Amino acid sequence: MTTYTWKVQFSENYTDEFIQKGPIDKEKAVEEFQLFPWDKEIDDYKRRDDNPTVPKIIFNSDDNRQLVLASTSNKGYEAEYTNILTNKFSNFYLSSNFEKKNYTPEEIIEFFFDNTLEEHIDLKDIPKPIEKKPADKKSPDNLEYNFRPSFRPLFSFNFFFWLGLSVCYILLAFKEPSLPKWVLFFFAITWPIPIMVHLTYYLKNSGAKVIIDKRNHDLTYIKGSQEIKFNRDDIFRCQVTYSKNTRWSLCDDYSYVWFILHDRTYIVITHFVADPNEIVEKLNCKFETRASGAFLPII
């Protein structure tokens, strides 16, 4: 006799975090689907500023079949059926609009538990996994990133353009004292800004090292004699910040990730150590993304 189990994910869960619910039968599965807080979870998914997880219910059978029902809208559900033994799968949409001719989620669940779902859906072969190079087959559990100073993105076209304008105006100002002094002041404070920004990024992580334990979701930040180690569950807030790119911007392509822990410890890791997106991806934590100025937070 086939046995079934189920698990769920809420918007607040990590993408690899599931809440196991144990054994279940057909009648109970339909009931649990109806009792699942879809409205609340969909609303939370839309409101969250971090990278929310799509709320879903997952049913598994001991003969290697799986049914996933997920939704981010009250208009319907995304369904995915997989049969590992026959190497078949199907993705389909279940509309909540009763005028459209499709099965209800409750009917799909009943078909799954009766092992008749494949008679009602279109099946495709599960794509073969992309073969990786021998060196990539085993990904290390610990990743290490070291401080890598660079003159980029300081030496940009805009930087040299504004610097050239400043020098030309200063030379003209010596020949024509009647030229507006406020323009001279403007140029004097404009082109040094990217140099100061670049120096703050350089000094913030100079000599720093970051180690990420992907298995346990730990991050260790080392700079000199300072060593801070934390788990993704210790994070109160995480924000990936990018400098805004505009035609006349002097500070393009600067970025950093800012961790605030529950104990109010602050850690800033700039792109001089690693791409902030890669940091949060490998740690697999919740994070917000914001386009802002290039200046680092004052902490």
Side-chain angles (χ1 to χ4, degrees):
M1 182 178 178
T2 306
T3 58
Y4 296 85
T5 57
W6 68 301
K7 56 187 178 182
V8 299
Q9 275 189 316
F10 298 118
S11 62
E12 65 181 6
N13 292 134
Y14 303 114
T15 55
D16 60 351
E17 180 185 18
F18 299 89
I19 302 173
Q20 302 290 341
K21 294 291 189 176
I24 196 169
D25 58 27
K26 180 171 67 174
E27 290 72 21
K28 186 65 174 176
V30 172
E31 180 183 352
E32 291 296 346
F33 170 80
Q34 294 172 338
L35 292 175
F36 189 84
W38 290 109
D39 290 341
K40 176 185 178 300
E41 286 301 314
I42 291 171
D43 186 60
D44 287 349
Y45 178 88
K46 293 178 178 179
R47 289 175 178 271
R48 293 182 71 94
D49 293 325
D50 57 13
N51 51 323
T53 297
V54 176
K56 61 179 68 72
I57 292 181
I58 303 171
F59 299 108
N60 289 293
S61 68
D62 63 357
D63 58 358
N64 291 314
R65 291 179 296 115
Q66 183 182 80
L67 175 65
V68 180
L69 294 172
S71 181
T72 58
S73 168
N74 294 319
K75 295 181 179 180
Y77 302 87
E78 297 289 345
E80 180 179 303
Y81 170 77
T82 307
N83 189 331
I84 300 299
L85 290 181
T86 61
N87 198 48
K88 298 290 185 179
F89 83 104
S90 180
N91 292 320
F92 50 98
Y93 184 71
L94 300 172
S95 174
S96 297
N97 184 350
F98 293 105
E99 295 180 0
K100 294 187 177 181
K101 295 180 179 180
N102 61 224
Y103 295 109
T104 66
E106 289 85 351
E107 289 175 315
I108 293 296
I109 292 171
E110 290 176 347
F111 292 152
F112 175 76
F113 277 79
D114 292 336
N115 199 8
T116 60
L117 180 56
E118 296 185 12
E119 302 172 12
H120 305 278
I121 57 178
D122 296 325
L123 294 169
K124 297 176 287 186
D125 291 332
I126 297 175
K128 293 182 179 180
I130 300 174
E131 292 187 6
K132 297 182 179 179
K133 297 178 182 179
D136 297 334
K137 284 187 177 179
K138 186 176 180 182
S139 178
D141 289 331
N142 286 355
L143 300 174
E144 184 174 311
Y145 304 92
N146 293 284
F147 177 68
R148 297 168 299 155
S150 171
F151 284 112
R152 292 188 57 84
L154 173 62
F155 290 165
S156 63
F157 171 80
N158 283 356
F159 171 75
F160 287 109
F161 176 77
W162 281 100
L163 178 60
L165 283 180
S166 302
V167 172
C168 289
Y169 193 86
I170 291 172
L171 294 177
L172 286 174
F174 280 112
K175 295 182 178 180
E176 297 289 340
S178 61
L179 289 175
K181 297 296 187 293
W182 67 267
V183 178
L184 182 63
F185 176 76
F186 172 78
F187 280 124
I189 65 172
T190 299
W191 67 264
I193 290 178
I195 296 177
M196 291 187 294
V197 168
H198 198 84
L199 282 175
T200 59
Y201 275 68
Y202 182 93
L203 296 173
K204 172 57 70 174
N205 294 145
S206 179
K209 177 192 297 185
V210 172
I211 302 172
I212 296 178
D213 181 347
K214 294 198 301 180
R215 181 186 297 273
N216 298 310
H217 308 290
D218 293 328
L219 186 149
T220 304
Y221 176 80
I222 303 171
K223 182 179 180 183
S225 60
Q226 180 190 36
E227 180 174 325
I228 302 172
K229 182 177 181 179
F230 62 90
N231 185 269
R232 67 179 179 181
D233 291 331
D234 299 324
I235 300 172
F236 171 73
R237 184 181 180 188
C238 174
Q239 180 176 287
V240 175
T241 302
Y242 292 90
S243 57
K244 293 180 179 178
N245 293 329
T246 64
R247 174 177 292 185
W248 304 108
S249 174
L250 288 169
C251 301
D252 287 348
D253 299 325
Y254 285 88
S255 60
Y256 62 89
V257 56
W258 181 18
F259 293 102
I260 303 176
L261 308 185
H262 287 293
D263 63 1
R264 290 298 183 262
T265 299
Y266 299 84
I267 302 99
V268 173
I269 302 172
T270 70
H271 68 273
F272 280 163
V273 177
D275 183 342
N277 267 326
E278 184 173 353
I279 294 288
V280 296
E281 176 188 339
K282 299 304 181 184
L283 188 60
N284 198 3
C285 63
K286 293 289 185 181
F287 65 94
E288 304 170 24
T289 302
R290 186 166 72 99
S292 181
F295 293 99
L296 293 175
I298 301 175
I299 54 175

